[in-house]
Amino acid sequence: MFRFAHPELLYLLIVIPLLIVFYVVMIRRKKKAIAEFGNPELLGPLMPLLSFKRGTWKFVMLMLALLFVIVGVAGPQFGSKLQQVKKKGVELMIALDVSNSMMAQDIKPSRLEKAKMAISRMVEKLSNDKIGLIVFAGDAYVQLPITTDYSSAKLFLSDIVPVQGTAIGSAIDLAARSFTPETETSKAIIVITDGENHQDDAVAAAKQAHEKGIVIHTIGMGLEQGAPIPEKGKPGQFMQDAQGNVVISKLDEQTLQDIAKAGEGLYIRASNTEVGLNRLLDEVNRMEKSLLEERVYSDYAEKYQYFLLVGLFFIFVEFMILGRKNKHFMKINLFKR
């Protein structure tokens, strides 16, 4: 098989016929200018060193050199070879709470934004591990299926919008179903939330997931004193209850500790200085890594160097060809006695 790594550079080849036309026009003008002085055959002895053939050969060498150099920089690649790539790692699902309470600003700039920034930094430190993202509030859904495409993971973080409700158990159930089926790869779920669960039994969901061999870690977003929840589109205003009192969202640390205990994982409380994902990443890295995938790549052998060497050869030949006849060589006659 044959291909070019940069085929768009082959458009430069159009320069060669343009230079040929330019050279032909210049040669004709030069011969015409000589003819204006008289008969070229009679003027020949007056210009013994003039040689149009040498100039033509020099031009041909330059065009050949340019041809091979352009083809070389276009990156010719010949043949193909199969290469097996094996990767070992773990599968990691992050369940991120996007409920309205995560907009509280006891952790700056907000609980949700701080968590998103921490996830983004953690993704940058991953290498062979697979990662997926689940967002949950009143319901849970897969924001990003399990993948090794870390760029997509960071991109999907920017599309998260907070909504009402909190269903931690649903998020754990969905995360447990979102791993690659029928694999013995080590699996872990990281639940990032303020713990204000209003809709299901998260601890029971953690126990069921752990029975499938999944470790569950939790990160508590929020401080003990809590904070009011900003109203959407109303700067400076906060959510109120039915009696008109400002709602204070507080971290439910006990629930998150119970979830982590049921999943035999760690519980970490976030703060304004750190979220704790790096500590959990260290814990994940200590898990037994399994063969995640075995890919077969088609690889092409680079051959550009040969074309560039031929191009340099023609440049060298062009340099060695003199533009005029050498008066010393003209005196040599090997057949004269």
Side-chain angles (χ1 to χ4, degrees), residues 97-104 137 162-165 194 229-230 232 239:
D97 186 353
V98 294
S99 62
N100 286 332
S101 61
M102 288 289 286
M103 295 305 295
V163 293
Q164 184 60 40
D194 53 29
I229 304 172
K232 290 183 181 178
M239 295 182 63

Side-chain angles (χ1 to χ4, degrees), residues 34 85 95 144 159 168 204 213 230 263 305:
I34 294 175
V85 177
L144 176 70
D159 297 330
I168 301 176
Q305 60 270 25

Side-chain angles (χ1 to χ4, degrees), residues 2 4 45 111 113 133 141 158 184 188 225 263 286 318:
F2 174 80
F4 287 98
R111 297 172 182 176
E113 289 302 317
L133 179 62
Y141 62 93
S158 61
E184 297 181 357
Q225 67 272 22
R286 284 193 287 268
E318 187 277 337

Side-chain angles (χ1 to χ4, degrees), residues 193-245:
T193 178
D194 53 29
E196 290 189 335
N197 188 55
H198 306 296
Q199 298 181 237
D200 52 24
D201 190 345
V203 176
K207 290 180 179 179
Q208 292 178 1
H210 185 62
E211 290 174 358
K212 301 176 183 178
I214 302 171
V215 178
I216 301 174
H217 307 286
T218 57
I219 295 181
M221 300 298 299
L223 304 181
E224 291 181 348
Q225 67 272 22
I229 304 172
E231 283 276 10
K232 290 183 181 178
K234 298 179 180 179
Q237 298 187 31
F238 302 97
M239 295 182 63
Q240 299 178 351
D241 58 19
Q243 288 73 38
N245 300 316

Side-chain angles (χ1 to χ4, degrees), residues 45-118:
L46 300 177
M47 300 179 293
L49 302 181
L50 179 64
S51 175
F52 286 105
K53 290 183 178 180
R54 287 174 177 267
T56 301
W57 277 111
K58 287 175 68 68
F59 179 76
V60 170
M61 293 299 107
L62 280 178
M63 292 302 99
L64 288 173
L66 183 59
L67 170 65
F68 279 91
V69 169
I70 292 176
V71 174
V73 297
Q77 299 172 329
F78 290 89
S80 63
K81 61 182 180 180
L82 297 180
Q83 181 181 7
Q84 291 184 335
V85 177
K86 299 180 180 180
K87 292 185 176 181
K88 284 189 175 183
V90 302
E91 293 192 354
L92 181 64
M93 291 295 300
I94 296 179
L96 177 62
D97 186 353
V98 294
S99 62
N100 286 332
S101 61
M102 288 289 286
M103 295 305 295
Q105 298 175 355
D106 49 349
I107 293 181
K108 304 297 181 181
S110 72
R111 297 172 182 176
L112 180 58
E113 289 302 317
K114 186 75 171 183
K116 288 164 61 176
M117 290 186 290

Side-chain angles (χ1 to χ4, degrees), residues 112-151:
L112 180 58
E113 289 302 317
K114 186 75 171 183
K116 288 164 61 176
M117 290 186 290
I119 294 172
S120 180
R121 288 193 297 268
M122 188 197 72
V123 169
E124 294 174 354
K125 297 181 179 180
L126 295 176
S127 55
N128 295 329
D129 304 305
K130 285 187 175 182
I131 188 172
L133 179 62
I134 287 176
V135 295
F136 67 94
D139 198 2
Y141 62 93
V142 178
Q143 180 83 350
L144 176 70
I146 197 82
T147 181
T148 54
D149 187 355
Y150 302 140
S151 298

Side-chain angles (χ1 to χ4, degrees), residues 58-59 61-62 313-322:
K58 287 175 68 68
F59 179 76
M61 293 299 107
L62 280 178
F313 169 76
F314 283 119
I315 292 176
F316 176 76
V317 173
E318 187 277 337
F319 178 76
M320 296 301 295
I321 298 176
L322 300 178

